[in-house]
Amino acid sequence: MPEGDCTTYRAKYGTAVSESEAEALVTGICFKTGPPRVTGVELEWLIHEPDRLHLPVSPARLEAAYAALRALPLHSLITVEPGGQLELSSLPAASLMECISAASADLSLVRDRLATLDLTLTGLGADPWRPPSRILHRPRYDAMERYLDRTGPAGRRMMCSTASVQICLDAGHEEPGPLGYGRRWRLAHLLGPVLVAAFANSPVQAGRSTGWRSTRQAVWASIAPETSAAPSLDAEPRKAWARHVLDAPVMFIRDSGALRGDDDADQAPWTVPDGLTFRTWARSGGPRPPTRDDLDYHLTTLFPPVRPRGHLELRMVDAQPGPDGWIVPLAVTSALFDDPQAAETAYRTVKPLAERACPPGAPAAPRSPLWLDAARHGLADPELREAAVACFAAAGDALPRMGASAEVQAAVAAYAERYVARGRCPADDVLDGHLAGHTDDHEHEKGILR
């Protein structure tokens, strides 16, 4: 690019990044280390009329509802997924209980406001009735849909019909040990299938049993691995993730209006390249050189089960039943990562699972044998059940040390007794009601057959 063109480009779009600069940036920002002390949660929900989960809600009505929610005095961030799912993202909290209290208060306000609009929220990992239908028509989602459609229908279903509990934890200490970032990174990938199995809650799609306890996880496993797979666990985490990011295909290249922040940029389609990795883009400089902003945007288009964003974002847990069901996976996971004794117990428990979680030559998570078995069978898998029993026990012991309330401790203990000890998960409750032709008193089952 001639010098004059370079000057004009920098003035319009920012400074281009080279391959080595991009690698250094990713290495520097993906694992920000320090004593684990900050917790967050991102809660996704299906939205519908009470007891009428099978009926779609019009886009206009959803837009009006979300406008009303954004006017509430919330501490959490309200966003909308492409299919209309509500996402509530907490602010980073200094403790587990601070996170639970803040998110619970915001959810209470949200539910009360939705009730006045004859709408409600349900926690299910995948919509059991309604087909995927996108209500957000913006360049990002238009381009994402075109990219994902190249490998089949799973991408659209992921965008429009799934919901999760995403747990955000500090990356960990710089040095080795139970709370070191290297150990926590590996723990997240070995514990991940246990969390998938214990909290699976999406066995129905299009009104029929799918054969998976977590259909949501099966959907993610069907997306192109370049977009949804974990990097190698055999290499140093920072280097492995940086290499993974640079070698991943670029989902889309934003148009010049979007780069300038123009209000009318939403009307311009974005380019969807075919097989262009960020590394190749940085080397070639075409169709225009990538910038730091492009790199940041590229990072948001990668969806592995554990995503390092300075902190660790664990993305494998289905949305949970009931208004407070999300608290149990948040509490259990936080305890197994942030309490040193529980973290050591959890790591010793799940370390033998590596033979199935990431065997040599097998696909990476979420397509490896153990991840798929967790999604299909839940805790009916004996090895996963045994690991879950030990991990829940360690978490239960740790919660008092972490200052968890009696109510949170009781909720974890009740979940362990109802599900984990019996080799069950919430999906089994859904299937019991679905196959028997009736529902029980669980909120997530009300309306599934109506």
Side-chain angles (χ1 to χ4, degrees):
M1 182 183 294
E3 178 60 32
D5 292 342
C6 287
T7 302
T8 301
Y9 179 85
R10 283 195 295 269
K12 284 185 176 181
Y13 310 130
T15 304
V17 294
S18 66
E19 177 186 353
S20 59
E21 289 169 336
E23 188 169 3
L25 284 167
V26 175
T27 301
I29 65 177
C30 58
F31 293 90
K32 294 179 181 178
T33 54
R37 57 173 175 251
V38 177
T39 303
V41 68
E42 299 174 20
L43 305 171
E44 297 173 345
W45 304 87
L46 304 179
I47 185 168
H48 56 94
E49 294 182 2
D51 294 336
R52 302 178 76 183
L53 181 55
H54 62 292
L55 295 181
V57 180
S58 71
R61 190 175 176 192
L62 285 174
E63 288 293 341
Y66 289 131
L69 295 181
R70 292 188 182 102
L72 295 173
L74 303 177
H75 295 91
S76 303
L77 176 67
I78 287 276
T79 53
V80 183
E81 293 297 301
Q85 311 96 305
L86 173 75
E87 180 173 321
L88 195 74
S89 302
S90 75
L91 294 176
S95 70
L96 169 65
M97 285 310 303
E98 183 180 313
C99 181
I100 290 174
S101 296
S104 295
D106 284 346
L107 270 173
S108 179
L109 290 175
V110 166
R111 289 183 181 278
D112 288 348
R113 186 67 182 92
L114 286 176
T116 68
L117 303 173
D118 196 31
L119 292 171
T120 191
L121 302 175
T122 284
L124 280 165
D127 195 312
W129 274 110
R130 299 173 294 186
S133 177
R134 188 157 58 93
I135 70 163
L136 296 184
H137 296 280
R138 299 172 183 169
R140 173 184 172 92
Y141 297 121
D142 293 345
M144 183 180 293
E145 184 175 275
R146 281 164 32 221
Y147 173 86
L148 293 171
D149 278 352
R150 290 172 177 169
T151 54
R156 290 195 183 202
R157 195 167 292 279
M158 174 272 289
M159 292 172 63
C160 301
S161 300
T162 63
S164 67
V165 175
Q166 298 179 19
I167 299 159
C168 301
L169 303 168
D170 281 342
H173 287 289
E174 188 71 27
E175 62 270 15
L179 301 184
Y181 79 92
R183 171 71 72 84
R184 287 163 73 87
W185 176 246
R186 190 166 182 83
L187 173 62
H189 289 87
L190 297 181
L191 181 65
V194 179
L195 299 177
V196 170
F199 298 108
N201 187 35
S202 52
V204 177
Q205 180 178 285
R208 297 177 179 274
S209 171
T210 63
W212 297 83
R213 295 302 196 276
S214 177
T215 301
R216 173 185 170 272
Q217 192 64 30
V219 167
W220 282 94
S222 299
I223 299 171
E226 297 84 0
T227 298
S228 63
S232 170
L233 294 185
D234 295 331
E236 195 279 328
R238 288 190 175 108
K239 293 180 180 178
W241 178 246
R243 183 167 57 248
H244 182 76
V245 169
L246 266 64
D247 289 336
V250 175
M251 188 173 287
F252 42 68
I253 297 177
R254 294 169 298 158
D255 77 305
S256 58
L259 290 172
R260 290 193 302 268
D262 292 351
D263 290 337
D264 62 350
D266 282 352
Q267 306 305 314
W270 295 357
T271 301
V272 181
D274 189 4
L276 177 70
T277 69
F278 198 94
R279 189 185 304 280
T280 302
W281 187 14
R283 287 176 177 176
S284 67
R288 61 166 178 78
T291 67
R292 165 66 186 271
D293 199 39
D294 288 316
L295 178 61
D296 291 342
Y297 224 83
H298 176 59
L299 289 167
T300 71
T301 66
L302 301 178
F303 310 119
V306 183
R307 185 162 63 177
R309 304 182 63 186
H311 58 276
L312 299 182
E313 183 183 78
L314 279 69
R315 305 168 53 84
M316 70 286 296
V317 175
D318 280 359
Q320 293 297 289
D324 301 322
W326 57 273
I327 292 176
V328 174
L330 173 61
V332 169
T333 307
S334 297
L336 296 178
F337 274 80
D338 289 349
D339 180 84
Q341 184 175 334
E344 186 64 31
T345 299
Y347 187 73
R348 289 200 308 267
T349 298
V350 301
K351 189 177 180 179
L353 298 179
E355 294 182 5
R356 290 172 64 196
C358 46
R367 292 164 192 78
S368 68
L370 187 64
W371 281 80
L372 293 178
D373 286 343
R376 186 179 295 279
H377 304 298
L379 293 184
D381 182 288
E383 194 173 16
L384 287 168
R385 176 182 179 180
E386 182 179 357
V389 169
C391 286
F392 267 74
D397 291 341
L399 287 172
R401 297 193 292 266
M402 298 176 64
S405 68
E407 290 78 12
V408 170
Q409 294 179 51
V412 170
Y415 193 98
E417 180 180 356
R418 174 167 184 165
Y419 294 113
V420 179
R422 301 176 184 179
R424 291 176 60 87
C425 57
D428 293 307
D429 287 348
V430 176
L431 289 173
D432 288 348
H434 181 78
L435 297 175
H438 63 82
T439 60
D440 64 13
D441 61 350
H442 283 283
E443 175 176 319
H444 73 312
E445 294 178 46
K446 293 178 181 177
I448 286 180
L449 301 175
R450 299 180 187 179

